[in-house]
């Protein structure tokens, strides 16, 4: 667990990066969230610490404080997703359980203006490899609403397996919503998920006559 304490590492794959979430990200975080409110609202848990529409700085400061505390305790890895060095979204590995489980849950969002560029699967693949091969986790879950086809495509592209529906798991957009559980264990990606994703991406680009 000592490998996880404190803020997470900075990672990069081409133009896509992961870096620690910082207090000074507050203005770009708030602007991006407000601009993407309609894009994000149907999929995000109702959480008073990170409302979509409040314009003050306190919700962000509270969130960063909570994540900083959880990171120190080995319970979370909070990242900013970047694209060409600019803020593009957020990816958090949370609910980390140690002991005999060594498991966690991952959540992410990316600016809708950047959708379709392969940013989210690349960022998620980097995060998975870091969790498995640097911090020593064994299992990662992503719980996604059945209607969220874009997010489901991300994990399906990366080879997460579908493990069933969790009925009324989270309160989202005014009601308790079902979620599909997707999961990976370290045995599923012995050579790393990023390598696997690169190959799949390059193969797809070759089939369509595109540059990878």
């Amino acid at each position: 667990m000592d490998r996880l304490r404190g803020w997470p590492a900075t990672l990069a794959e081409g133009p896509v990066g992961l870096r620690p979430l910082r207090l000074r990200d507050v203005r770009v975080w708030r602007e991006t969230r407000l601009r993407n409110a309609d894009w994000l609202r149907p999929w995000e848990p109702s959480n008073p610490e990170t409302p979509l529409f409040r314009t003050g700085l306190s919700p962000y400061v509270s969130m960063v404080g909570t994540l900083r505390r959880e990171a120190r305790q080995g319970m979370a890895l909070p990242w900013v997703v970047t694209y060409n060095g600019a803020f593009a979204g957020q990816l958090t590995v949370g609910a980390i359980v140690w002991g005999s489980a060594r498991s966690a849950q991952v959540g992410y969002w990316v600016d809708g203006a950047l959708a379709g560029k392969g940013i989210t699967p690349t960022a998620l693949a980097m995060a998975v490899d870091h969790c498995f091969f640097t911090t020593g986790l064994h299992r990662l879950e992503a719980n996604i609403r059945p209607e969220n086809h874009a997010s489901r495509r991300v994990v399906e592209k990366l080879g997460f397996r579908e493990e069933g529906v969790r009925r009324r798991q989270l309160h989202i957009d005014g009601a308790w919503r079902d979620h599909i559980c997707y999961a990976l264990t370290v045995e599923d990606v012995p050579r790393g998920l990023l390598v696997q994703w690169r190959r799949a991406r390059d193969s797809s680009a070759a089939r369509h006559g595109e540059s990878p």
Side-chain angles (χ1 to χ4, degrees), residues 11-19 80-89 114 117 119 126:
L11 309 170
E13 167 67 11
V16 179
L18 291 173
R19 64 163 174 77
V80 161
V81 179
T82 62
Y83 184 64
N84 289 325
F87 185 101
L114 298 173
K117 296 181 180 294
I119 296 169
M126 286 192 290

Side-chain angles (χ1 to χ4, degrees), residues 40-88:
L40 297 173
R41 185 192 300 109
W43 319 122
E44 295 211 328
S46 304
N47 186 342
E49 291 183 345
T50 57
L52 289 171
F53 299 107
R54 285 182 52 185
T55 57
L57 305 183
S58 59
Y60 179 84
V61 173
S62 176
M63 178 191 68
V64 173
T66 297
L67 290 173
R68 188 187 298 273
R69 183 168 58 253
E70 291 180 353
R72 286 197 302 267
Q73 295 169 349
M75 297 168 57
L77 287 165
W79 276 292
V80 161
V81 179
T82 62
Y83 184 64
N84 289 325
F87 185 101

Side-chain angles (χ1 to χ4, degrees), residues 17-32:
L18 291 173
R19 64 163 174 77
L21 186 67
R22 301 165 183 157
L23 280 172
R24 62 178 176 270
D25 293 317
V26 59
R27 297 192 184 280
V28 66
W29 180 89
R30 182 181 61 178
E31 185 277 328
T32 306

Side-chain angles (χ1 to χ4, degrees), residues 93-212:
V93 177
I96 295 175
V97 178
W98 291 98
S100 59
R102 288 185 172 261
S103 65
Q105 297 183 21
V106 61
Y108 47 83
W109 63 268
V110 171
D111 189 336
L114 298 173
K117 296 181 180 294
I119 296 169
T120 308
T122 301
L124 182 54
M126 286 192 290
V128 168
D129 284 353
H130 183 81
C131 288
F132 284 163
F133 303 114
T134 299
T135 67
L137 294 177
H138 176 254
R139 173 183 169 89
L140 285 175
E141 292 184 5
N143 294 293
I144 303 169
R145 285 188 60 185
E147 304 88 348
N148 191 347
H149 300 292
S151 191
R152 290 176 62 186
R153 281 195 298 272
V154 168
V155 293
E156 289 167 357
K157 284 178 183 177
L158 293 176
F160 279 68
R161 64 180 167 274
E162 184 177 330
E163 294 192 340
V165 176
R166 294 184 169 176
R167 301 294 181 190
R168 295 174 288 280
Q169 183 189 23
L170 291 172
H171 193 271
I172 293 179
D173 199 23
W176 292 99
R177 310 288 186 177
D178 295 348
H179 283 67
I180 299 174
C181 176
Y182 289 89
L184 273 182
T185 63
V186 68
E187 294 88 352
D188 297 320
V189 287
R191 295 179 179 82
L193 185 55
L194 186 57
V195 168
Q196 183 175 298
W197 165 237
R198 280 196 203 111
R199 288 174 178 166
R201 181 187 58 195
D202 294 349
S203 175
S204 176
R207 285 197 306 271
H208 292 88
E210 302 168 356
S211 298

